[in-house]
Amino acid sequence: MLEHLFSPLRLGTVELRNRIVSTAHQTSLVHENLPTDDFVAYHEARARGGAGLIVLEATAVDPSGLLTPHTLAGYREEVVPGLARVARAVAAHGTRCFLQLFHGGREQIASPPRTPALAPSAVPSLRFHVEPRPLTAEEIASLVDGYARAAANAEAAGLDGVEVSAAHGYLAAQFFTPELNRRDDEWAEPAAFLLAVLSAVRAAAPGMALGVRLSADSPAARAVVADVATHVDYVGLALGDSSSYVGSTGIVPPPPVVENAIAALTGPFRLGPPLVATSRVVDPVEADRLVGERRCDAVGMTRALITDPEMPRKAREGRLGDVLRCLACNACIAHYHAGTPIACTQNPRTGRERTLPPPKRRETPRRIIVVGAGPAGLAAAAEAEAAGHEVVVLERAGRIGGQLALAGSAPMHEEVARSLRRNYELLLEGVDLRLDVEAAEEEVLALDPDAIVVASGARPYEPDLAVDGVEALQAWDVLAGGRPHGRRVVVADWGGDAAGLACADVLATAGNDVVLAVGSAAFGETMHQYQRNLYAARLYRGGVRIEHHLELEGAARGRVRFRNLFAPEVETALPADLLVLALGRVPERGLATRLAA
């Protein structure tokens, strides 16, 4: 079973024991641009779980290439001891370890004030609003030397290989993308910079495997890969372009982007060197099929490994039913964009491998009552059960999942809800789960608990506003199946979560005329940007009319009244048969307060 996935693969001087790869991804487990103890523990956990290759995160080759304050500094000799600790920890489990060499060019995630941005030409970046200046010929030569120096540091640390990042619209890709390279010197030729870098890296670290990462959905990458392929031991393929809102979503695509999204785009890159393909490959059986069909030679299963570091071992042993499935919720990348250490919605130990050990079975189990089977209650119940306690979960609904299950009625969240439900059905096998139970303090105390976890969630916020002459429903009612009697719908969205956008999506798909009245400075203001970008695409394509900067005042006689957030005297009235209220949540604290008393 899974014979393709668990066959060895040679990449230049290195042989992998299997074809499961943890591709380069930022962890923020970095202090002063050097690896931390948590960084070592994080990658060792994935090696212990059986990954064939770990590619350490994008590592700057020059101070000007530091994408964020948490970027590794590959150009500093001080990085060598830290990388050596990672190399030893990973090698002890039979996993190979590479380092990705990186320069962002004009792309800078950090907020202003920023260091000066350098690029082939002075073309501003649309997403991060960075205005670079052109590199001089002397600076380009210095950057090429920086790649070589970082590769030499990687070799000195005992790593097995290096991968040059030329994907996602970062510096190397800026050189071979025609609209971003307007030079008229020797560096105007699209592949010149990347070939110079690969040559310098090979000379600086001749004993190491050498790869290059490209974006499979980039026409410019397809145009240069033939020139590049003969200079590398493998080609890594991903999706996305950091410089645009639409393109950036492909870097870590959430649902409803289909699984194995990369598979249809690998063909033009099969020019000899092995292909390592990543983007929404989350299932070992599917990964094995992709390798068997020659779509690629190895699979990047990064988010799957973030969720379950033991996935390779479980799959190899035939325990596919024990694998925790990635929810594709993008909490991992959201933490990076927030500048905080990597974390996972499903796995509480991701990023905390050193400080949060797995639960140990208690010699004297306790009786734990958990009220609420939303994500928080489910997580508490799973931890308590894993520690050997007797656990009873009381849930007033007829299904688990809480608000996430409610959100699952919308296309953008269906897969997340389904995967969460599947994972907890696995984790809660030994738990006494009681659905359709309204837990009052008498019922809870009658179960004779040693401890009670109250995870009763929240309820929709109800504004103190006059809403007359217009049918009004909470967003939760719509997601639970409520529909308008007429076709004209106004969704009052406070901008703090996905509820209003989900309702607009569901109601527009059902054939209603929908206006989304956004009560925040920006559309989807607090959502992770990749999910927000996909929502914007869906709603615009679905014909939803989006009105910005509107704060709800009330409704009467078939019209909903708003005032402008910034100019309150400017009022707007929108005709409606249904007003959907998506104005946030308030906690359900009654039971907790009564039990505490």
Side-chain angles (χ1 to χ4, degrees):
M1 190 175 184
L2 306 184
E3 58 182 317
H4 306 295
L5 195 60
F6 288 98
S7 61
L9 175 66
R10 178 157 291 279
L11 303 180
T13 58
V14 171
E15 184 171 274
L16 310 184
R17 59 177 169 176
N18 63 51
R19 299 173 185 234
I20 297 174
V21 182
S22 174
T23 60
H25 60 285
Q26 307 308 101
T27 64
S28 297
L29 302 174
V30 172
H31 180 64
E32 294 184 350
N33 307 116
L34 300 175
T36 63
D37 292 343
D38 289 323
F39 184 96
V40 178
Y42 173 83
H43 288 294
E44 183 177 14
R46 274 110 201 119
R48 186 186 303 113
L53 171 64
I54 291 173
V55 183
L56 303 181
E57 61 196 64
T59 300
V61 300
D62 184 83
S64 62
L66 293 168
L67 194 62
T68 74
H70 299 292
T71 305
L72 288 174
Y75 53 87
R76 291 172 53 187
E77 288 188 7
E78 296 92 330
V79 80
V80 173
L83 293 179
R85 291 177 55 218
V86 182
R88 290 193 296 271
V90 169
H93 302 282
T95 298
R96 297 295 192 166
C97 192
F98 294 3
L99 182 69
Q100 188 182 81
L101 308 183
F102 170 88
H103 193 294
R106 67 174 188 162
E107 303 303 322
Q108 293 183 345
I109 291 178
S111 300
R114 302 178 174 117
T115 57
L118 308 176
S121 302
V123 181
S125 171
L126 299 178
R127 178 176 167 223
F128 295 124
H129 308 296
V130 177
E131 299 163 308
R133 67 166 176 80
L135 285 154
T136 67
E138 292 76 16
E139 287 171 329
I140 293 173
S142 178
L143 288 181
V144 172
D145 289 341
Y147 280 92
R149 183 164 53 252
N153 285 339
E155 186 174 51
L159 297 179
D160 300 299
V162 290
E163 174 182 280
V164 174
S165 174
H168 310 315
Y170 294 124
L171 181 65
Q174 291 161 26
F175 270 96
F176 62 63
T177 302
E179 56 267 33
L180 301 181
N181 185 346
R182 302 179 178 180
R183 304 180 71 92
D184 57 7
D185 59 5
E186 61 182 304
W187 302 107
E189 198 282 317
F193 178 78
L194 181 53
L195 291 176
V197 166
L198 294 173
S199 177
V201 167
R202 185 72 89 183
M208 303 184 80
L210 174 59
V212 64
R213 191 180 207 189
L214 299 169
S215 289
D217 52 354
S218 163
R222 289 195 292 270
V224 301
V225 67
D227 295 327
V228 172
T230 56
H231 297 267
V232 294
D233 300 315
Y234 74 93
V235 174
L237 295 177
L239 299 175
D241 176 1
S242 179
S243 68
S244 71
Y245 293 112
V246 173
S248 66
T249 304
I251 298 176
V252 189
V257 174
V258 297
E259 288 186 31
N260 310 319
I262 189 69
L265 300 173
T266 61
F269 296 87
R270 186 163 280 292
L271 300 174
L275 293 184
V276 179
T278 187
S279 283
R280 291 238 62 209
V281 184
V282 297
D283 182 82
V285 174
E286 284 294 294
D288 186 76
R289 179 181 64 82
L290 296 179
V291 175
E293 292 177 353
R294 297 281 296 154
R295 301 293 185 95
C296 57
D297 300 288
V299 283
M301 302 187 72
T302 308
R303 278 187 284 179
L305 289 162
I306 289 172
T307 303
D308 190 346
E310 296 291 318
M311 177 269 292
R313 185 185 314 282
K314 293 174 180 177
R316 192 186 69 238
E317 295 173 355
R319 297 187 292 123
L320 292 171
D322 293 340
V323 174
L324 285 182
R325 183 179 173 84
C326 169
L327 306 183
C329 64
N330 275 14
C332 47
I333 188 71
H335 277 264
Y336 168 60
H337 286 150
T340 55
I342 192 169
C344 175
T345 297
Q346 182 64 75
N347 183 352
R349 287 168 180 80
T350 294
R352 302 169 178 161
E353 289 80 3
R354 184 177 61 88
T355 57
L356 187 62
K360 295 181 180 179
R361 305 290 289 186
R362 297 295 183 92
E363 293 182 3
T364 55
R366 304 175 73 196
R367 186 169 172 80
I368 311 295
I369 309 303
V370 178
V371 180
L378 295 173
E383 286 290 296
E385 198 281 330
H389 298 299
E390 179 187 357
V391 184
V392 179
V393 177
L394 307 178
E395 168 57 49
R396 64 184 174 188
R399 44 93 179 111
I400 65 173
Q403 293 173 51
L404 196 53
L406 192 66
S409 63
M412 286 279 288
H413 310 285
E414 187 276 333
E415 181 183 335
V416 176
R418 172 166 41 85
S419 295
L420 180 101
R421 182 173 61 250
R422 180 263 179 205
N423 284 347
Y424 278 113
E425 287 171 351
L426 169 67
L427 292 170
L428 300 181
E429 282 185 353
V431 168
D432 182 359
L433 176 64
R434 304 181 186 182
L435 302 177
D436 294 310
V437 175
E438 187 72 46
E441 56 265 41
E442 294 82 6
E443 286 82 0
V444 174
L445 295 174
L447 294 171
D448 193 25
D450 294 305
I452 305 166
V453 176
V454 181
S456 49
R459 65 183 184 276
Y461 172 66
E462 305 241 2
D464 187 16
L465 297 173
V467 178
D468 302 312
V470 174
E471 181 187 10
L473 289 175
Q474 286 284 353
W476 291 21
D477 298 327
V478 173
L479 294 174
R483 294 295 179 266
H485 293 100
R487 295 186 65 248
R488 299 176 303 172
V489 177
V490 172
V491 179
D493 174 35
W494 74 305
D497 57 29
L501 309 186
C503 288
D505 188 7
V506 168
L507 292 171
T509 301
N512 297 285
D513 297 324
V514 180
V515 177
L516 179 70
V518 180
S520 55
F523 175 96
E525 193 166 64
T526 66
M527 294 171 61
H528 184 256
Q529 54 189 281
Y530 295 169
Q531 188 179 76
R532 177 201 64 209
N533 297 347
L534 285 178
Y535 253 122
R538 287 184 65 86
L539 297 186
Y540 281 124
R541 287 169 178 154
V544 174
R545 186 173 125 212
I546 301 176
E547 297 284 349
H548 295 277
H549 308 149
L550 297 183
E551 182 180 2
L552 180 65
E553 278 197 313
R557 297 185 296 278
R559 299 180 75 81
V560 183
R561 302 189 314 278
F562 296 90
R563 58 174 170 264
N564 187 279
L565 282 176
F566 303 105
E569 72 279 7
V570 177
E571 297 186 345
T572 299
L574 300 173
D577 300 308
L578 172 68
L579 169 63
V580 178
L581 301 172
L583 302 175
R585 296 160 290 185
V586 293
E588 289 277 21
R589 295 191 52 81
L591 178 61
T593 301
R594 293 191 298 272
L595 286 170

